[in-house]
Amino acid sequence: MFPDVRRACALLAAVLCALVLLPAHALEPRRAIGQFTHAWYENELPQGTVLSIAQQADGAIWLATYGGLARHSGDGFETIDPRVAPALKSSAITAVSADRRGGMWVGTLNGGLYHRQGRTLDPVPLPGGIESVFGIVSDTAGGLWLTTNAGVVRMADGRPRLLGDADGFPPRGFYRAIVADRAGGIWIAADGVGVVHWQDGRARVYDERDGLPSNAVYSLAIDATGTAWVGTQAGPAFFRDGRFQRDPRAAALDGRRIYTLYGDRDGSVWFAPLDVGLCRLAAGHFSCDNTLAGLQGETVRSMFEDREGNLWIGTTSSGLHRLSPSKLVTVTGQMVSNAVRAVHQAPGGALWIGTDGAGLSRYDGAVLQPAADYNRQLPSQLVRAILSDEHRQLWVAGTEGVTRFDAGGRARTFGLAEGLPGTIVFAFAPARQGGMWTGTLQGVARIEGARVEVVEGTRGDDTRALYEDPDGRLWIGLRSGLRCLYRGVVDTCGTDGLSGTSVFAFHPAADGSLWLGTSVGIVRIRDGKVTRYLQRAGFHGDAVFALLDDGRGNLWFSSNRGIGRLAKAGFAALDRGTVQQLAPHWYGTSDGMLNAQGNGASQTPAARSDDGRLWFGTAKGVVIVDPARMQGNPQPPPVSIERLRVDGVDVDPQRTGRLGPGVERLELHFAAMSYVAPSAVRYRYKLEGFDRSWSEAGAGRAAYYTNLPPGDYVFRVMASNNDGVWNKEGAQLRFTLLPRWHQTWWLRTLAALVALGLLAALVRLRLRAARARERALTHEVAQRTDALREANARLQHLAASDALTGIANRREFTRCLKLAWDDHAGRDAPLAVLLVDVDEFKAYNDSYGHLGGDTALATIATRLADSLRSSEDLAARYGGEEFAVLLPDCDTDAALALACRLVADVQHLALPHRASSVTDIVTVSVGAASLRPAHGGTPDALLHAADAALYRAKGEGRNRALPAE
């Protein structure tokens, strides 16, 4: 019953996903190609040629390669070839296409056509002589179209028909591409002939006489408007008004071979010309990029846009690539260093970038262009700060002093010889009395014209930031505190001086507040009052190198953790006490940064440009934040349970019903099909019938359970995408664990009835004896009351003991563990648990019989009980051949020592085990774990830790004890 219900639910979920998961935006047309997140799956496929790409209804990406069919669910690639799917007669896969029922069509080079539904791959009969399927598409009427070695085939209602001359198709030839349009038409590229268009039951051939640049046609695409595009040996063209036409905006591609082209949902058309790289016609602008790693000189064979807007690119030899949207854009250049230390936009002019080793560059054409004419005049290419003044002069700070460029680009450098207190310069601030304040490693100076004036009270101070306020007070941020210069006096600005704190940035606010970026977080000074926003604002020793206001109510900052954002209203709420904690929104590599390390410790590592965008220097390029266009991912990711392993054996998750009896270990592997930033996907799971609450798996994709009691279970898993959008429906898997004979309800009921019968007989016997001794009624009543008390004690002992071994049973162990947990939590004492498993006990039972196995378990239980430290320790039979030991007031080292002694004690029993692969005697494996309940956690967490250690001990060869990690 379960499989049928599960298949129905899966089909319903697929339909709902198709209705609810509306397509996200494509790659933003205004961004340069090189500004998208680029992932290269190098050497991860069964073979490097990707001929076709498709996305199944469940979100998985499928790839056709010459080495097999590959499936990608966000973490690695699963290969399907004749070794794992015997029905597949060829590993050379040439085409893949998703159908409307959640299945996949698969075309091969010499094995015909296949259909995959669920985990079943079945061959599909085709007309005689057809072995190769090169392309697969579906038309609007539900018909399936194939390009094959024998020509074009259309399948309607499951019946294939080879189309030929009578249908208007040219003589048999090689068809390179096939696409379907929205009007029900089919476009087919016939190499050397032109393009065949099928509509309303008839085909027409278009060639060079109809505007085709060449009859050698390699590729086809339908753009967002429904227009057909063609890629030929002589360039691209599009179909309009009954003929093909060239687009003058893409004239750079005229005469070039266009092996692949693709139209995305936002109206862009992508081209893959030979030796040009990747090109795009978007919003009337045409551009190409040949800098993406792994794509230089490559021939692109396939492109596909998934539901999240990612563009997948398959190549001839370098495998698979992915371009993804991102919130942030990282810009680099062809320079010896892309470590950006300073950013500054001259008012109304160029955006200048200072690097750590490549001097100055300008942001131009979506890349950084070295400013060679300026760099030749710099004494050092290690730039630390950039600022311009009211005279249009550009000031550049480096490790060899200050260089000032006039409006004509002519340089003058100031160093020690000119009076600077130090040559390593970190900071600038315009001086109200004229010139530029300059902060160096050895103090502050003011440069005006050719004169350098040192502030004497700052000599020797490592200066990192400068700001002159409207009152003429110069704020000086030091590596070890805060100082101010006012009317010739250097003091601590009316504050405690922030001793021991590095001040890297000043940001004046409209309300008169001065915000400081420091080595430990953000500090605000207002009316002489210092407010520190450190841990309660989410900064745990994080340096803040720059502070920028986006004009939308947020403060942005750079740090070694990435780029962060906090709403200014949040700071006000902290001040009022209406909230106790703020959590910055951190952006990192999953959001488009090439390196999350922000460069700082100098004056201008970030800037806001005239258009409102924010620019942050990082260890690898400058990152652009456009607060007005923070592209998010609204798609809740599809979730599936990919794999189920039962005691190390794979079981089809779609056919799971009743498992066991005797199941010891379950592994459940799951996946969420979100590809914008796979590393940012998060999971939660819960086993209903066992887990009390959801477990946070983080980025983990598997759950493990051992020695579950018999019963009905439902495993549920949910996931979130890179923007924290959760698919709370997730996926689920129902199954039943069957009991062993001694765990059956009828045996337990029988035992209870026997116990009750004995008790009733005993009571009746005592009552009869009492009536016979009426004269000694008082004495007899007291005597019989004592007897009943003893009987109850024995019954309690029986209820708490294991019938086979005589030691405590699992229920008694669980009760004692809870009591011990509460007791140790109150005393802040360590509590330990050992889980002991008899190695290869099933093989022992098979070899010596169940009676022999019961005898061995009883013997081992006795030895375990005898090996305990004191009467406070408790040994229990936990289930089957597994025992548990509760050790009060026991830390990890003591627990591990006892565990090792238990392993040795069982060895000394020398119980023969001729079926063991470990040794010829019975051995055990032990997992040890110790926690302090006062520090948090649960008894289940302690058991899970010991169980994980036990599993490791068995995985490393058995007959050993290991501690929890």
Side-chain angles (χ1 to χ4, degrees):
M1 177 177 179
F2 279 158
D4 293 334
V5 173
R6 186 164 47 255
R7 282 193 290 269
C9 291
L11 180 58
L12 177 61
V15 173
L16 290 176
C17 284
L19 293 176
V20 176
L21 298 181
L22 301 177
H25 290 295
L27 300 178
E28 186 179 349
R30 296 182 311 132
R31 285 194 187 180
I33 295 172
Q35 292 182 350
F36 297 114
T37 298
H38 172 226
W40 178 15
Y41 300 90
E42 186 178 12
N43 300 321
E44 295 187 43
L45 301 180
Q47 195 270 339
T49 303
V50 181
L51 300 170
S52 179
I53 310 172
Q55 186 172 28
Q56 199 172 2
D58 67 359
I61 297 295
W62 290 83
L63 311 167
T65 80
Y66 285 129
L69 181 64
R71 179 180 183 271
H72 180 50
S73 59
D75 182 26
F77 293 81
E78 173 191 2
T79 299
I80 300 171
D81 58 21
R83 292 172 296 181
V84 297
L88 190 62
K89 301 305 179 185
S90 172
S91 61
I93 311 300
T94 49
V96 288
S97 179
D99 67 19
R100 299 177 182 178
R101 298 180 302 156
M104 292 293 301
W105 295 99
V106 180
T108 68
L109 183 63
N110 49 20
L113 178 68
Y114 297 82
H115 186 256
R116 192 177 196 267
Q117 193 72 40
R119 290 176 175 256
T120 303
L121 188 69
D122 296 314
V124 179
L126 293 176
I130 296 180
E131 297 180 348
S132 302
V133 176
F134 302 112
I136 309 172
V137 297
S138 299
D139 60 28
T140 56
L144 188 72
W145 290 76
L146 314 172
T147 54
T148 75
N149 61 296
V152 177
V153 173
R154 184 174 189 267
M155 294 181 62
D157 300 324
R159 296 187 297 272
R161 186 169 75 89
L162 185 63
L163 305 177
D165 296 343
D167 304 288
F169 282 82
R172 176 174 171 176
F174 182 67
Y175 297 97
R176 287 188 176 270
I178 181 171
V179 294
D181 62 28
R182 302 173 188 170
I186 299 294
W187 299 81
I188 306 169
D191 191 26
V193 176
V195 175
V196 181
H197 181 216
W198 185 92
Q199 186 79 44
D200 299 327
R202 293 292 302 172
R204 176 182 170 180
V205 177
Y206 294 90
D207 57 22
E208 294 176 359
R209 294 168 294 181
D210 302 296
L212 275 181
S214 169
N215 288 341
V217 181
Y218 300 117
S219 54
L220 289 166
I222 306 296
D223 68 14
T225 67
T227 300
W229 284 79
V230 60
T232 77
Q233 182 173 276
F238 66 93
F239 187 79
R240 182 177 296 168
D241 299 329
R243 62 184 289 110
F244 283 94
Q245 306 176 36
R246 293 180 182 270
D247 192 319
R249 297 170 299 178
L253 299 181
D254 291 347
R256 293 189 174 274
R257 296 185 181 184
I258 311 298
Y259 280 108
T260 303
L261 46 77
Y262 189 83
D264 68 25
R265 63 177 63 102
D266 276 356
S268 299
V269 181
W270 297 78
F271 307 90
L274 191 64
D275 298 329
V276 177
L278 194 62
C279 300
R280 179 180 60 167
L281 181 61
H285 175 69
F286 178 80
S287 62
C288 295
D289 190 306
N290 199 24
T291 65
L292 299 178
L295 281 176
Q296 298 95 334
E298 261 289 1
T299 301
V300 175
R301 302 295 295 273
S302 54
M303 293 187 194
F304 178 79
E305 181 185 29
D306 68 19
R307 288 196 290 266
E308 291 181 304
N310 302 292
L311 184 68
W312 300 83
I313 302 168
T315 68
T316 296
S317 58
S318 68
L320 182 68
H321 299 255
R322 170 174 54 84
L323 293 182
S324 296
S326 61
K327 299 180 184 67
L328 312 181
V329 174
T330 300
V331 181
T332 59
Q334 298 296 318
M335 304 181 296
V336 295
S337 173
N338 274 291
V340 175
R341 299 297 294 265
V343 183
H344 170 69
Q345 184 183 21
L351 185 77
W352 292 91
I353 307 295
T355 68
D356 201 5
L360 290 172
S361 63
R362 301 181 184 91
Y363 177 73
D364 182 22
V367 295
L368 303 184
Q369 299 289 352
D373 48 343
Y374 283 75
N375 291 336
R376 282 192 295 268
Q377 302 177 71
L378 287 176
S380 169
Q381 302 298 301
L382 303 174
V383 177
R384 293 295 178 266
I386 311 172
L387 199 63
S388 54
D389 61 20
E390 59 183 1
H391 302 297
R392 298 173 58 199
Q393 298 180 113
L394 189 71
W395 296 71
V396 180
T399 59
E400 297 295 334
V402 173
T403 301
R404 183 182 64 203
F405 294 93
D406 63 20
R410 293 180 296 273
R412 174 163 184 176
T413 297
F414 298 84
L416 293 177
E418 288 72 27
L420 276 183
T423 57
I424 301 179
V425 181
F426 295 108
F428 288 130
R432 293 183 179 274
Q433 57 185 309
M436 186 71 70
W437 293 108
T438 303
T440 79
L441 188 65
Q442 297 295 324
V444 179
R446 184 171 66 91
I447 304 175
E448 183 178 12
R451 185 167 57 92
V452 177
E453 177 184 348
V454 178
V455 178
E456 290 300 330
T458 66
R459 282 193 181 272
D461 289 340
D462 185 350
T463 306
R464 298 304 175 115
L466 297 171
Y467 165 67
E468 187 172 358
D469 67 20
D471 295 330
R473 178 180 289 103
L474 180 66
W475 296 74
I476 305 170
L478 303 178
R479 190 71 181 185
S480 59
L482 176 68
R483 298 290 184 272
C484 281
L485 172 65
Y486 187 59
R487 296 179 178 176
V489 177
V490 176
D491 58 21
T492 58
C493 312
T495 72
D496 59 5
L498 306 184
S499 179
T501 300
S502 300
V503 178
F504 298 129
F506 294 110
H507 176 72
D511 64 356
S513 300
L514 185 63
W515 296 83
L516 282 64
T518 77
S519 56
V520 291
I522 293 177
V523 174
R524 186 190 65 202
I525 300 177
R526 181 167 58 189
D527 299 329
K529 179 182 178 182
V530 177
T531 305
R532 292 171 170 84
Y533 300 99
L534 309 180
Q535 288 190 7
R536 64 191 184 124
F539 298 103
H540 300 275
D542 301 301
V544 174
F545 297 132
L547 286 169
L548 298 177
D549 191 324
D550 64 5
R552 296 171 173 268
N554 301 299
L555 276 181
W556 292 76
F557 43 88
S558 63
S559 168
N560 283 330
R561 288 180 61 185
I563 294 171
R565 185 194 71 209
L566 276 169
K568 291 189 287 186
F571 293 103
L574 273 181
D575 295 340
R576 294 192 303 269
T578 55
V579 300
Q580 302 301 317
Q581 183 68 48
L582 298 182
H585 188 111
W586 290 101
Y587 298 86
T589 53
S590 62
D591 301 296
M593 298 180 69
L594 298 181
N595 188 304
Q597 177 182 326
N599 278 334
S602 57
Q603 179 77 43
T604 58
R608 178 179 174 182
S609 55
D610 296 340
D611 59 8
R613 290 188 290 176
L614 312 179
W615 304 72
F616 290 90
T618 74
K620 196 170 184 179
V622 61
V623 172
I624 307 173
V625 177
D626 191 344
R629 295 178 176 84
M630 295 293 286
Q631 186 174 12
N633 182 5
Q635 292 274 18
V639 186
S640 70
I641 298 172
E642 301 274 281
R643 189 181 185 191
L644 171 64
R645 289 177 63 83
V646 180
D647 288 337
V649 178
D650 280 299
V651 175
D652 187 350
Q654 297 182 3
R655 300 181 181 274
T656 304
R658 296 156 66 87
L659 302 174
V663 172
E664 295 182 358
R665 180 175 175 82
L666 292 177
E667 300 177 26
L668 298 110
H669 298 258
F670 38 83
M673 273 61 82
S674 177
Y675 306 102
V676 173
S679 62
V681 174
R682 294 294 179 265
Y683 298 91
R684 296 173 185 159
Y685 65 83
K686 180 181 182 181
L687 183 61
E688 293 183 356
F690 183 78
D691 291 329
R692 297 179 180 177
S693 60
W694 290 88
S695 296
E696 295 286 345
R701 294 163 53 97
Y704 303 91
Y705 294 92
T706 58
N707 296 312
L708 290 171
D712 297 326
Y713 297 95
V714 181
F715 179 76
R716 301 183 184 275
V717 59
M718 63 175 70
S720 71
N721 67 11
N722 59 304
D723 273 337
V725 178
W726 284 89
N727 179 347
K728 294 186 177 180
E729 292 298 323
Q732 67 178 44
L733 177 67
R734 296 178 179 271
F735 60 92
T736 297
L737 290 182
L738 299 176
R740 290 191 173 105
W741 68 271
H742 58 271
Q743 297 172 312
T744 55
W745 66 269
W746 58 264
L747 182 62
R748 294 176 180 174
T749 302
L750 180 61
L753 290 174
V754 170
L756 289 174
L758 291 174
L759 179 61
L762 179 62
V763 171
R764 286 196 300 270
L765 184 62
R766 296 307 182 193
L767 289 175
R768 188 180 300 115
R771 286 192 296 268
R773 298 175 59 189
E774 290 184 7
R775 289 175 298 177
L777 180 61
T778 302
H779 176 72
E780 284 295 313
V781 168
Q783 187 179 37
R784 296 305 176 246
T785 300
D786 290 341
L788 286 174
R789 185 178 298 112
E790 292 174 3
N792 285 333
R794 286 196 297 274
L795 285 174
Q796 290 177 359
H797 176 72
L798 288 174
S801 300
D802 177 67
L804 175 64
T805 63
I807 62 176
N809 57 22
R810 180 168 182 162
R811 183 174 64 181
E812 178 66 5
F813 177 84
T814 302
R815 185 185 71 83
C816 293
L817 173 60
K818 185 178 184 306
L819 293 174
W821 184 272
D822 295 337
D823 173 64
H824 285 62
R827 297 189 290 108
D828 191 17
L831 179 64
V833 164
L834 306 182
L835 287 182
V836 184
D837 190 87
V838 182
D839 296 328
E840 300 191 348
F841 187 72
K842 182 179 182 303
Y844 189 96
N845 268 343
D846 293 342
S847 180
Y848 294 92
H850 287 291
L851 290 178
D854 290 348
T855 301
L857 289 177
T859 302
I860 294 172
T862 301
R863 177 54 60 93
L864 292 180
D866 292 342
S867 300
L868 299 181
R869 302 174 303 173
S870 67
S871 61
E872 298 297 324
D873 297 346
L874 176 68
R877 187 178 181 196
Y878 198 68
E881 66 274 17
E882 189 172 12
F883 300 89
V885 179
L886 182 64
L887 302 173
D889 299 293
C890 185
D891 59 18
T892 299
D893 292 337
L896 182 59
L898 179 58
C900 293
R901 190 165 73 248
L902 292 181
V903 172
D905 288 347
V906 172
Q907 287 179 332
H908 291 157
L909 290 174
L911 297 177
H913 192 345
R914 59 176 171 262
S916 174
S917 64
V918 181
T919 181
D920 57 357
I921 61 173
V922 173
T923 60
V924 295
S925 299
V926 185
S930 177
L931 291 177
R932 284 185 175 271
H935 295 180
T938 64
D940 286 343
L942 180 58
L943 286 171
H944 284 316
D947 186 64
L950 171 60
Y951 184 71
R952 285 175 37 240
K954 296 179 76 66
E956 293 182 12
R958 299 183 173 91
N959 192 23
R960 64 193 64 209
L962 290 180
E965 293 182 341

